């Protein structure tokens, strides 16, 4: 139940970010050489009601993995949970790698597309700029490894709903990862 609530909380923070800045955050912000410096998760911290102080301790001039930012990340509530949350990016997904997306830029909302997936793992930190990339065959890849179809996943959809997909329901997630050009729609939390 906690993971379900965390994803709802993340969905509300994404929507608040859009209200505050006129677009959703980019999946990453990059340095001048194109290396990811910050994750979308870091960019929504000020919208997360329970942890507004986290963003004030973060040094945006430094990379997410600087000593100061690693020390500050140890305080993140969502780093103390057993699930990590990843944006769904790639061909046909709702988020682009670096360009912010505004609702008005994308047409009518697609309610059934997966935008964030909760994966049981303690391998990644909240602020680490790693996300799920959907390859050209529609396979979700996390850090170079395909997602395991025999695991449970929590998914935040474009309409703001959160669903738990237990083992054996991986095909349901795959069908919600991408959309055709005719369906190209925004996040609609």
């Amino acid at each position: 139940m906690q993971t379900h609530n965390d994803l709802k909380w993340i969905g509300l923070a994404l929507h608040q970010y859009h209200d505050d800045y006129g677009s959703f955050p980019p999946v990453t912000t990059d340095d001048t050489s194109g290396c990811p410096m910050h994750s979308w998760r870091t960019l929504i911290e000020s919208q997360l009601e329970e942890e507004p102080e986290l963003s004030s301790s973060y040094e945006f001039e430094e990379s997410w993995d600087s000593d100061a930012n690693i020390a500050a990340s140890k305080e993140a509530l969502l780093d103390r949970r057993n699930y990590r949350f990843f944006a769904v990016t790639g061909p046909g997904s709702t988020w682009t790698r670096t360009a912010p997306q505004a609702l008005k830029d994308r047409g009518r909302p697609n309610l059934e597309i997966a935008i964030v997936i909760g994966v049981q793992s303690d391998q990644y930190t909240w602020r680490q700029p790693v996300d799920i990339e959907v390859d050209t065959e529609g396979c979700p890849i996390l850090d170079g490894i395909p997602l395991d179809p025999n695991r449970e996943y929590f998914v935040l959809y474009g309409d703001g709903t959160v669903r738990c997909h237990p083992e054996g329901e991986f095909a349901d997630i795959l069908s919600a990862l991408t959309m055709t050009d005719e369906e190209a729609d925004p996040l609609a939390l």
Side-chain angles (χ1 to χ4, degrees), residues 7-174:
L7 268 173
K8 280 287 205 187
W9 187 35
I10 289 167
L12 291 170
L14 284 167
H15 197 63
Q16 183 62 48
Y17 184 99
H18 187 283
D19 289 349
D20 292 348
Y21 297 101
S23 68
F24 293 103
V27 174
T28 63
T29 58
D30 299 342
D31 65 17
T32 56
S33 65
C35 294
M37 284 196 57
H38 311 291
S39 166
W40 63 272
R41 290 174 291 277
T42 303
L43 299 175
I44 66 167
E45 284 180 2
S46 63
Q47 285 75 31
L48 293 171
E49 292 177 7
E50 292 183 28
E51 299 195 54
E53 71 284 351
L54 283 179
S55 59
S56 64
S57 65
Y58 191 79
E59 297 292 334
F60 279 95
E61 300 79 32
E62 299 179 28
S63 177
W64 71 274
D65 58 353
S66 70
D67 290 341
N69 286 336
I70 290 291
S73 290
K74 291 183 185 208
E75 301 304 314
L77 176 64
L78 292 173
D79 262 352
R80 297 190 298 264
R81 306 255 202 261
N82 63 350
Y83 272 78
R84 297 296 183 262
F85 304 99
F86 303 96
V88 177
T89 67
S93 67
T94 55
W95 271 359
T96 61
R97 183 52 71 186
T98 57
Q101 296 293 314
L103 288 175
K104 63 184 176 68
D105 296 339
R106 300 288 303 266
R108 119 187 123 70
N110 185 309
L111 304 179
E112 288 296 315
I113 192 154
I115 57 173
V116 177
I117 297 179
V119 177
Q120 191 170 13
S121 172
D122 60 3
Q123 182 176 349
Y124 305 95
T125 67
W126 168 255
R127 291 178 168 156
Q128 188 172 354
V130 173
D131 287 288
I132 293 171
E133 179 80 22
V134 179
D135 69 14
T136 55
E137 277 110 45
C139 181
I141 309 291
L142 176 60
D143 210 14
I145 301 169
L147 291 184
D148 182 350
N150 299 312
R151 294 186 58 188
E152 172 183 82
Y153 297 96
F154 284 81
V155 180
L156 171 65
Y157 288 90
D159 65 355
T161 61
V162 174
R163 292 185 217 137
C164 173
H165 293 274
E167 294 176 20
E169 289 188 14
F170 195 68
D172 293 343
I173 298 172
L174 290 177

